Amino acid sequence: MYRTHTCGELRLSDAGKDVILAGWVQRTRDLGGMTFIDLRDRYGITQLVFDMNTNAELCEKARKIGREFVVQVKGKVRERSSKNLKIPTGDIEIIAEEIDVLSSSELPPFTIENETDGGEELRMKFRYLDLRRPCLRENIILRHRMAQEVRRYFDSHGFLEIETPMLIKSTPEGARDFIVPSRLHPGTFYALPQSPQTFKQLLMVAGFDKYFQIVRCFRDEDLRADRQPEFTQIDCEMAFVEQDDILKTFEGLAKHLFREIKGIVLEDDFPRITWDEAMSLYGTDKPDIRFDMKITEITMLVKGKGFTVFDNAGYAGAIVAEGCSEYSRKQIDELVEFVRRPQIGASGIFTVKYNTDGTIKSSVDKYYSTEELAKWVRAVNAMPGSLILIIAGEREKSLSALSELRLKLAGDMGLRKAETFSPLWVVDFPLFEWDDETQRFYARHHPFTSPKPEDIDLMETDPAKVRANAYDLVINGIEIGGGSIRIHDSSVQKLMFKVLGFTEEEASSQFGFLINAFRYGAPPHGGIAFGFDRWVALFAGEDSIREVIAFPKNNAGRDIMIDTPSPVSKTQLSELMIDIRKP
Ligand code: ASP
């Protein structure tokens, strides 16, 4: 028997018991007559004591044991004289009678503690050591608990967990596919799924009516911060549902996770706003509504007074930073610099200070009278003591700059509190998105998303105006999930492919299986997929999803621990009939 108890288990009530523990040596402290070892496993840390006076030989042996050795110890539990209130086992210690080294360890390349001296690269290379750090261990346990709660919720609501294939067919829509060569059929390839989208729809045609899966998805995208080439979705689909049924069911899942995992009871329905509202009030389709600070459009108000910047602007919008009328020149310059960064690209910020004494001072005083500025103040609903920040220019660009400025200001003002959670649904996304480069429309969500019935007539005449039955769940400015009511009518699906520029042959060679399936009785259906990694990261309070994935890739898409991607042997390539060209 390797152990009678774990290292996180023993309490004062166990004093006097003979126990066996096994684990890793966190650290050894040598205090002359006494040697202490902190023994660690997944469950916690227990202090071991070796006494020179009672057992000198054993004490000598203990002194030779280094960090991260795996040891087994036999001994008796006793009350500690100096208790450690910080750990659950801090009332007791084990007075050791025997110790055996089960496995020795080289000196680890970084300290196995929350505050480690190891850089990202080193930690990734030795990920198994990194995972011994309590913070990462807790994240992995949290992830497990969330996965179990997801399953519990779905099971109790009649959903079936059904696996879908990993080796599928390459389809050009969406991101780039990872492809896998076939040896048995040289010159042909499988693709790894970007999501199980078409399969879950086929499951609805098959009659399974409520499906979910916690599933790995693969997208060969250029790596942006916090993207992984493989990531996990909670993928869901339901038949015989309307948008409202879906939102209610999955709002239920979100509330379940908040309650069971975070102990937060969210009583109210999540707010729902349309994509149009989100864009004009927050400048983004994933607004952080932990704080208000909505954008007010003031285009018409500022035009026509001879200030050319505003006169030439297609749009002018303002946000109000309450209590910030005393911002210094330097603070405002910093904000201007922030919005001028190339990623944001605004030309500047105009400010109006609505002072606590009711006076108004602006950066455009030359062009506007106090009465005019007072109108602006009223239009944006500012309270005395506020700083009003205005960005003007092209509409979309200005709104997106205002969105970034809004987040930055709220961050500076401490309004983005980590332990506050503000979920909302953004609904009625546009069905299409125009791409300037290729001069064509793309499906904003994916080509199976249905248009609003009242907008179907616009599909061929004015695609940009067509709204979709598509929705996103956003929490604290993070897109946690997205989905749609699907097209279940083959004629609408055909029309969709047509608008997307597919010829009939292309549509049928790529999606023939789905179009065919719809000929045999497809129920109305819809679904959603949640970014599981993101959701765990949000609950863990981590900025990066790498901190909640056991074995993630680095920012360049490499796993530096197993060293991949890497070349394969000539034999493997020749079996696949693949020649590698020199770059
Ligand atoms: N398959 C979609 C995605 O991965 C989600 C959905 O529409 O259910 O974004």
Side-chain angles (χ1 to χ4, degrees):
M1 191 193 227
Y2 277 112
R3 55 182 177 186
T4 56
H5 296 80
T6 70
C7 297
E9 200 177 342
L10 294 165
R11 300 285 182 275
L12 197 53
S13 55
D14 296 303
K17 277 190 189 153
D18 291 310
V19 297
I20 310 174
L21 299 186
W24 287 260
V25 172
Q26 174 78 26
R27 60 184 192 137
T28 318
R29 273 158 302 145
D30 215 343
L31 304 181
M34 299 276 227
T35 295
F36 296 94
I37 289 181
D38 285 344
L39 194 65
R40 178 193 71 232
D41 65 11
R42 176 187 134 191
Y43 308 91
I45 284 188
T46 299
Q47 173 165 292
L48 315 177
V49 203
F50 301 82
D51 190 341
M52 204 63 184
N53 297 322
T54 54
N55 196 338
E57 201 185 324
L58 190 69
C59 201
E60 287 299 344
K61 194 172 169 187
R63 282 178 184 176
K64 294 204 188 79
I65 294 174
R67 267 162 57 192
E68 301 307 317
F69 277 44
V70 179
V71 301
Q72 182 191 39
V73 67
K74 285 200 179 107
K76 211 183 247 332
V77 184
R78 75 171 185 203
E79 183 168 3
R80 252 160 94 160
S81 50
S82 63
K83 299 197 169 43
N84 181 352
L85 299 176
K86 287 192 203 123
I87 55 173
T89 58
D91 287 344
I92 55 102
E93 61 194 2
I94 311 295
I95 176 85
E97 287 151 14
E98 262 175 60
I99 186 157
D100 281 313
V101 173
L102 301 178
S103 179
S104 65
S105 170
E106 288 181 20
L107 194 66
F110 49 84
T111 50
I112 313 271
E113 274 159 24
N114 283 351
E115 296 303 324
T116 179
D117 54 358
E120 174 95 13
E121 173 104 6
L122 203 56
R123 295 202 289 113
M124 287 298 156
K125 182 151 189 212
F126 296 90
R127 186 62 164 177
Y128 43 89
L129 297 180
D130 200 20
L131 286 167
R132 288 184 192 167
R133 293 164 58 226
C135 50
L136 265 187
R137 181 178 68 221
E138 288 312 318
N139 287 352
I140 299 300
I141 294 172
L142 172 72
R143 187 181 177 110
H144 160 84
R145 287 179 49 225
M146 287 179 70
Q148 300 318 305
E149 287 304 334
V150 166
R151 295 204 157 94
R152 206 153 72 89
Y153 178 83
F154 281 132
D155 186 51
S156 69
H157 285 75
F159 282 74
L160 299 174
E161 182 169 11
I162 306 175
E163 285 158 286
T164 50
M166 284 287 128
L167 294 175
I168 67 165
K169 187 181 168 69
S170 181
T171 54
E173 201 62 31
R176 213 176 269 113
D177 287 325
F178 279 102
I179 56 172
V180 181
S182 158
R183 179 185 56 83
L184 294 175
H185 307 279
T188 63
F189 298 83
Y190 301 101
L192 301 179
Q194 295 184 25
S195 84
Q197 185 60 38
T198 50
F199 288 96
K200 64 175 172 177
Q201 292 192 243
L202 293 172
L203 286 170
M204 295 304 111
V205 178
F208 286 108
D209 105 326
K210 288 178 179 179
Y211 143 95
F212 87 101
Q213 184 181 193
I214 299 181
V215 63
R216 199 64 58 80
C217 301
F218 305 85
R219 295 184 191 173
D220 187 4
E221 291 172 309
D222 292 333
L223 292 154
R224 281 190 262 150
D226 210 30
R227 279 273 164 94
Q228 288 279 312
E230 52 177 312
F231 59 96
T232 305
Q233 282 190 345
I234 309 171
D235 192 44
C236 321
E237 196 77 5
M238 300 172 82
F240 304 114
V241 284
E242 293 176 334
Q243 176 162 309
D244 198 48
D245 303 309
I246 301 235
L247 300 193
K248 282 209 176 94
T249 304
F250 297 102
E251 188 164 318
L253 170 71
K255 286 182 173 173
H256 177 81
L257 290 179
F258 270 107
R259 192 175 53 241
E260 297 302 319
I261 302 289
K262 298 296 287 179
I264 296 173
V265 178
L266 300 170
E267 306 259 8
D268 298 335
D269 290 345
F270 295 178
R272 296 180 190 178
I273 67 171
T274 66
W275 182 86
D276 267 337
E277 286 168 336
M279 294 311 285
S280 53
L281 295 177
Y282 301 98
T284 170
D285 56 11
K286 31 180 183 293
D288 186 344
I289 58 163
R290 278 175 293 182
F291 56 96
D292 197 31
M293 216 191 278
K294 292 193 194 76
I295 299 169
T296 312
E297 177 170 0
I298 53 169
T299 318
M300 296 326 287
L301 217 51
V302 301
K303 278 185 182 283
K305 301 289 171 211
F307 182 43
T308 45
V309 179
F310 284 169
D311 286 349
N312 296 336
Y315 171 92
I319 54 176
V320 180
E322 251 176 63
C324 296
S325 62
E326 312 263 282
Y327 260 35
S328 67
R329 183 62 195 265
K330 185 161 161 270
Q331 279 171 302
I332 291 173
D333 283 348
E334 261 173 35
L335 294 174
V336 172
E337 228 165 85
F338 172 80
V339 300
R340 280 192 180 150
R341 294 192 311 188
Q343 314 91 290
I344 299 180
S347 52
I349 301 175
F350 303 93
T351 53
V352 179
K353 285 181 171 176
Y354 183 28
N355 298 316
T356 36
D357 61 8
T359 56
I360 301 175
K361 180 96 196 83
S362 86
S363 61
V364 287
D365 279 352
K366 242 169 73 192
Y367 300 93
Y368 299 92
S369 66
T370 314
E371 290 74 55
E372 272 150 0
L373 293 175
K375 275 191 209 156
W376 300 8
V377 167
R378 277 199 299 279
V380 301
N381 262 324
M383 304 283 283
S386 297
L387 174 67
I388 302 163
L389 302 110
I390 301 164
I391 290 182
E394 195 257 315
R395 183 171 193 270
E396 262 171 51
K397 250 194 161 167
S398 307
L399 276 168
S400 114
L402 280 163
S403 160
E404 296 292 338
L405 179 62
R406 179 179 174 270
L407 293 178
K408 157 98 177 112
L409 268 168
D412 292 352
M413 292 161 73
L415 301 175
R416 303 179 71 190
K417 296 202 174 67
E419 281 308 308
T420 305
F421 294 95
S422 302
L424 81 154
W425 291 104
V426 178
V427 300
D428 300 355
F429 276 74
L431 187 62
F432 299 107
E433 193 166 32
W434 175 255
D435 182 53
D436 265 337
E437 208 177 296
T438 51
Q439 289 287 305
R440 54 161 277 206
F441 281 104
Y442 283 85
R444 199 178 178 104
H445 189 48
H446 51 57
F448 317 107
T449 295
S450 65
K452 294 232 168 260
E454 60 271 31
D455 291 357
I456 289 189
D457 289 344
L458 295 170
M459 280 178 74
E460 286 192 280
T461 53
D462 196 354
K465 285 229 166 68
V466 181
R467 289 163 310 150
N469 284 315
Y471 33 79
D472 274 1
L473 175 65
V474 176
I475 307 179
N476 294 2
I478 300 166
E479 181 196 326
I480 289 291
S484 59
I485 297 293
R486 324 299 183 189
I487 298 168
H488 70 281
D489 174 308
S490 31
S491 63
V492 181
Q493 188 64 69
K494 272 194 187 148
L495 178 60
M496 182 74 180
F497 285 133
K498 187 171 163 208
V499 181
L500 293 174
F502 285 73
T503 63
E504 277 207 26
E505 293 73 53
E506 282 168 341
S508 114
S509 91
Q510 278 151 26
F511 299 109
F513 59 96
L514 190 70
I515 299 171
N516 279 341
F518 285 177
R519 296 213 190 102
Y520 295 93
H525 61 286
I528 191 165
F530 299 97
F532 187 53
D533 310 291
R534 284 260 152 78
W535 206 337
V536 180
L538 177 76
F539 275 15
E542 296 284 5
D543 288 331
S544 166
I545 59 172
R546 279 203 296 276
E547 301 300 317
V548 299
I549 298 173
F551 298 105
K553 310 274 184 285
N554 73 6
N555 260 343
R558 296 192 61 84
D559 183 326
I560 56 175
M561 178 183 67
I562 59 174
D563 187 24
T564 202
S566 51
V568 295
S569 72
K570 285 218 170 68
T571 326
Q572 281 171 301
L573 285 176
S574 80
E575 276 174 353
L576 295 166
M577 310 245 283
I578 288 180
D579 286 329
I580 303 287
R581 279 200 314 204
K582 292 238 154 52

